[in-house]
Amino acid sequence: MAMTDDLGTKAPKYLQIAAELRRSIRDGQMKAGERLPAETALAERFRVSPITLRNAISVLRAEGLIESRHGVGTFVRESRRLQRRSRHRYGRARNDQKLLTAHLRHDIVFAGRAPVTGEIAAAMDVPAGTEVVVRRRHLYNRETGKPEEIGASYILIDIGGGTYLEDPAVVPKALFLCIEELSGKRYATARDHWFSRLPTAEEASALELPTGAPVMQVIHVARAEDGTVLEVSESVWPADRIVVIDEYPVEPEPTEPDTPSEI
C-alpha cells in the first residue's frame, strides 16, 4: 500500500505508517473500541517487516491513541480527556463542593512532614531541605478505576503543623478552604508553571504508563494578599488524558499617548 502524508517519503517507514494509522483514527475510519488488525496483517498491508510495524504501533501507543490488552489484541482508545480550568477554579469550588469529587476518587498516600528541595523549595520561598507539611495523593477514575493523576500539596508548618492536615485522610472540604481557615488568610493570587516531560519510574508505575509515554506536570503556587505562600501543589497527568483550558476576558492593551517623532 502506498503511503502519502505530510511527512514525505524521506521520513522513516515506521513514522509514515504511524501517520497513516493516526489519520484513520482521527478521521473516524477506525473507531474507539475497534480492534486493530493483527500485526502480521498490517505488516503485509504496508509491506514492511514486523519490527518496523511494531515501532509504528509503539508511536501510537505512546500518543495514547491505542492500547494493548494482554492476550486479546490492540484497540483504538476512547478519546476522553480530563479538563483542567486554571482560572476561576477557586470560585467554582467555593460555590459547589461536588465539583471536587464528581469524577475522581482521592487516595491520600502520605500526610506528614518532609523536607522539600529543588523546584518546590524555590516555589515556597524556603531554603532547600526545609521541613513542611506534605500531603501526597493519587486520583482514580471512579468509573474505570484507572489512575488519572498523582500529586502533592506543600504547606508551611506555621500553617499546617500539628493540624488535621498531617492526618492521612481526605479533608472535609476543599484543601484551600482548610488552609484559609487555619491561616486566617485568603487566597489572592496564583501562578501555574507547566512542564512537559518523561515520567520518573515511580510516576510511570503509579499511572500505569507504557514505555515512552510523556506526562504533563503543573506546579501551582498560591499566595495571600500580603504575598505569603499559602500552598504549593504539584500534579502529574498522562499527557494524553488531559486538556488545559484557560478562558479569560480579552481587554484592549492600554494605549500610549501620542508623542511627536524626533526628526
Side-chain angles (χ1 to χ4, degrees), residues 217-233:
Q217 176 191 16
V218 62
I219 296 178
H220 178 78
V221 184
R223 297 178 182 269
E225 289 183 353
D226 62 2
T228 302
V229 175
L230 294 178
E231 177 196 0
V232 170
S233 66

Side-chain angles (χ1 to χ4, degrees), residues 3 32-33 46 56 62 80 97 124 157 165 168 214 244 259:
M3 292 172 287
F46 290 110
R80 294 180 62 185
Q97 288 293 297
M124 297 189 77
I157 288 180
L165 296 186
V244 180
T259 56

Side-chain angles (χ1 to χ4, degrees), residues 149-169:
E149 174 188 335
I150 58 176
S153 292
Y154 306 87
I155 307 103
L156 294 173
I157 288 180
D158 289 347
I159 297 174
T163 72
Y164 59 89
L165 296 186
E166 294 193 68
D167 296 331

Side-chain angles (χ1 to χ4, degrees), residues 4-210:
T4 58
D5 48 58
D6 296 337
L7 295 174
T9 57
K10 292 184 179 181
K13 210 75 167 180
Y14 77 95
L15 289 181
Q16 294 184 49
I17 296 170
E20 184 76 18
L21 294 174
R22 184 188 303 114
R23 184 163 47 250
S24 296
I25 293 171
R26 291 178 174 170
D27 290 349
Q29 298 174 25
M30 299 172 63
K31 303 185 183 301
E34 182 177 337
R35 181 177 177 177
L36 270 66
E39 288 186 359
T40 52
L42 286 174
E44 183 177 346
R45 168 186 167 187
F46 290 110
R47 299 178 183 176
V48 295
S49 69
I51 293 178
T52 299
L53 192 281
R54 290 191 195 107
N55 288 338
I57 293 297
S58 295
V59 170
L60 299 181
R61 188 182 297 114
E63 292 176 355
L65 294 176
I66 61 175
E67 60 181 353
S68 296
R69 303 174 190 171
H70 184 67
V72 180
T74 302
F75 297 80
V76 178
R77 283 187 57 184
E78 184 177 359
S79 180
R80 294 180 62 185
R81 291 178 179 247
L82 295 175
Q83 295 186 1
R84 187 186 192 279
R85 296 177 180 270
S86 297
R87 296 172 186 254
H88 314 306
R89 64 190 183 98
Y90 287 110
R92 288 197 304 276
R94 290 185 196 279
N95 297 327
D96 189 355
Q97 288 293 297
K98 294 180 181 179
L99 287 172
L100 301 174
T101 57
H103 305 296
L104 300 175
R105 186 188 86 239
H106 292 56
D107 286 356
I108 304 301
V109 298
F110 173 83
R113 302 186 184 193
V116 289
T117 58
E119 296 167 336
I120 301 301
M124 297 189 77
D125 295 336
V126 299
T130 299
E131 194 173 63
V132 302
V133 174
V134 182
R135 293 179 59 83
R136 298 192 184 280
R137 62 189 178 274
H138 288 184
L139 278 64
Y140 299 86
N141 185 298
R142 288 184 181 275
E143 295 180 2
T144 65
K146 290 185 177 181
E148 296 288 357
E149 174 188 335
I150 58 176
S153 292
Y154 306 87
I155 307 103
L156 294 173
I157 288 180
D158 289 347
I159 297 174
T163 72
Y164 59 89
L165 296 186
E166 294 193 68
D167 296 331
V170 176
V171 292
K173 51 189 173 183
L175 181 59
F176 81 94
L177 293 176
C178 298
I179 294 173
E180 286 186 341
E181 183 178 76
L182 293 169
S183 67
K185 299 181 179 181
R186 187 180 176 91
Y187 282 47
T189 61
R191 174 176 290 186
D192 288 346
H193 304 255
W194 286 93
F195 306 89
S196 177
R197 58 175 175 79
L198 292 176
T200 64
E202 293 79 5
E203 290 168 345
S205 176
L207 292 169
E208 300 177 5
L209 298 176

